[in-house]
Amino acid sequence: MTTENQSLTIEFILIGFTDHPVLKILLFLVFVAIYLITMVGNLGLVALIFMERRLHTPMYIFLGNLAFMDSCCSCAITPKMLENFFSKDRSISLYECMAQFYFLCLAETADCFILAAMAYDRYVAICSPLQYHTKMSKKLCIKMAIGTFIASNLHSMIHVGLLLRLTFCKSNQIDHFFCDILPLYRLSCTDPYINELMIYIFSMPIQIFTIAIVLVSYICILFTIFNMKSKEGRGKAFSTCASHFLSVSIFYICLLMYIRPFEEGEKDIPVAIFYTIVIPLLNPFIYSLRNKEVISVLKKLMKNYNIPK
């Protein structure tokens, strides 16, 4: 392997999961099924929200963006992983590697902002219901969605740009199933101090800011719910934010496990699988199965197109 980062011939080897023939086939079939369900679920949800006018509300605008970003995350990771199950060399070029990390970083950063926006939306809906349409106008939601996309793009571009300043000469084997930032730091002959500093300067404030919005929103929501006199009102309020609370809890627990410092050589593949592959699979089900509006729209579409239940 050439030692110059500018060379177009630099390639990495993604070690992946296993070399056992039977396990490879089993894992391939499992991940193909997960990928297909994820793409159908997320893109189907995006299409449903786009097509149905009564779903053009703040919560569903954010949900559509979340589903789109989850499909981007799945597209960034899974196709190359599936290819490598039967590839002889399991190679990925430097620029393919950078593209993979860029789209992963974009999707996960956007998810943080979108989940925070959804938490604020639930806070306004439960704590200030009479001012909901004033505080959460469609125009504001679109501006927030555009701002999320711009900020996530800039964040991803900064980290990819800094990765391109590194030279890789120690080894070309990445002990992972995708191009993650920490394994790339380990392969670098250039000191990644600046890269790590930029993570603390840019990534940590994003995490702290979005987690703070979620926590403050849910603390206010809980106070409001506990002060409600009606049991029916409490039940309705809980059901309004239950799906989002479950989704955001899973996301941030996995995120904190995923970004925690770990010793060199330690493999975090199980957490990475859950964070990058399983969460995008779960979100459409979390938000759809208990959502009466989504189920109602689905039934209406099935009836219109004569699709058997």
Side-chain angles (χ1 to χ4, degrees):
M1 183 182 74
T2 75
T3 58
E4 295 199 16
N5 200 31
Q6 292 80 11
S7 172
L8 295 174
T9 60
I10 291 182
E11 287 186 338
F12 297 109
I13 307 297
L14 293 169
I15 300 300
F17 298 102
T18 180
D19 289 320
H20 193 284
V22 177
L23 273 178
K24 277 168 74 172
I25 293 168
L26 277 173
L27 288 172
F28 176 80
L29 293 173
V30 168
F31 286 122
V32 163
I34 289 173
Y35 179 62
L36 292 175
I37 295 167
T38 300
M39 297 307 293
V40 170
N42 282 294
L43 294 180
L45 194 55
V46 171
L48 203 67
I49 291 166
F50 179 78
M51 289 167 63
E52 184 59 42
R53 296 198 70 166
R54 66 173 148 148
L55 296 182
H56 293 180
T57 61
M59 187 63 179
Y60 290 105
I61 289 170
F62 294 133
L63 181 54
N65 280 276
L66 182 70
F68 179 72
M69 285 296 125
D70 281 345
S71 62
C72 286
C73 178
S74 190
C75 283
I77 302 296
T78 312
K80 189 65 183 178
M81 180 188 70
L82 293 173
E83 178 193 328
N84 285 344
F85 275 114
F86 301 105
S87 172
K88 289 182 180 179
D89 57 5
R90 289 177 290 190
S91 64
I92 183 169
S93 73
L94 173 67
Y95 294 105
E96 282 181 304
C97 192
M98 295 300 108
Q100 191 179 61
F101 176 73
Y102 168 81
F103 284 108
L104 175 65
C105 186
L106 169 69
E108 300 305 343
T109 306
D111 277 3
C112 289
F113 284 118
I114 293 165
L115 288 169
M118 290 170 82
Y120 177 72
D121 175 80
R122 295 299 84 197
Y123 156 73
V124 176
I126 293 169
C127 301
S128 306
L130 298 177
Q131 296 176 301
Y132 181 76
H133 292 291
T134 306
K135 288 186 175 181
M136 294 300 296
S137 65
K138 191 185 288 186
K139 188 180 284 187
L140 175 65
C141 294
I142 291 168
K143 283 180 180 177
M144 288 169 76
I146 292 169
T148 291
F149 184 73
I150 291 169
S152 302
N153 260 291
L154 289 172
H155 183 239
S156 303
M157 287 166 68
I158 287 166
H159 289 300
V160 170
L162 288 167
L163 279 173
L164 288 169
R165 65 175 278 275
L166 303 178
T167 54
F168 302 97
C169 60
K170 291 180 180 178
S171 169
N172 69 338
Q173 294 191 345
I174 298 175
D175 196 12
H176 220 307
F177 61 93
F178 68 95
C179 288
D180 200 6
I181 197 165
L182 290 175
L184 287 171
Y185 286 171
R186 295 193 193 113
L187 301 182
S188 172
C189 297
T190 310
D191 187 355
Y193 170 75
I194 293 173
N195 300 61
E196 292 168 351
L197 183 63
M198 290 301 108
I199 289 176
Y200 286 106
I201 291 173
F202 290 105
S203 301
M204 293 303 290
I206 289 171
Q207 305 302 332
I208 293 166
F209 173 70
T210 53
I211 290 171
I213 289 174
V214 171
L215 287 175
V216 170
S217 296
Y218 273 102
I219 288 167
C220 293
I221 286 168
L222 286 172
F223 273 116
T224 303
I225 290 172
F226 289 134
N227 286 328
M228 288 179 178
K229 295 177 182 178
S230 161
K231 285 185 179 181
E232 188 182 339
R234 285 184 186 180
K236 192 175 178 182
F238 272 121
S239 66
T240 300
C241 56
S243 297
H244 177 262
F245 183 75
L246 177 60
S247 176
V248 83
S249 299
I250 293 170
F251 179 83
Y252 279 111
I253 288 167
C254 291
L255 176 65
L256 293 172
M257 289 176 68
Y258 182 67
I259 64 174
R260 79 190 193 281
F262 54 90
E263 296 176 5
E264 190 170 341
E266 184 182 339
K267 294 178 80 170
D268 260 2
I269 285 179
V271 177
I273 289 171
F274 205 87
Y275 182 63
T276 60
I277 295 172
V278 177
I279 287 178
L281 168 73
L282 293 177
N283 278 339
F285 295 99
I286 290 171
Y287 286 104
S288 300
L289 292 179
R290 294 184 71 254
N291 191 308
K292 291 178 182 178
E293 282 185 279
V294 172
I295 291 169
S296 172
V297 171
L298 272 173
K299 286 179 178 177
K300 178 186 166 186
L301 284 174
M302 289 168 75
K303 188 177 179 181
N304 289 346
Y305 292 99
N306 297 316
I307 301 170
K309 293 181 184 181

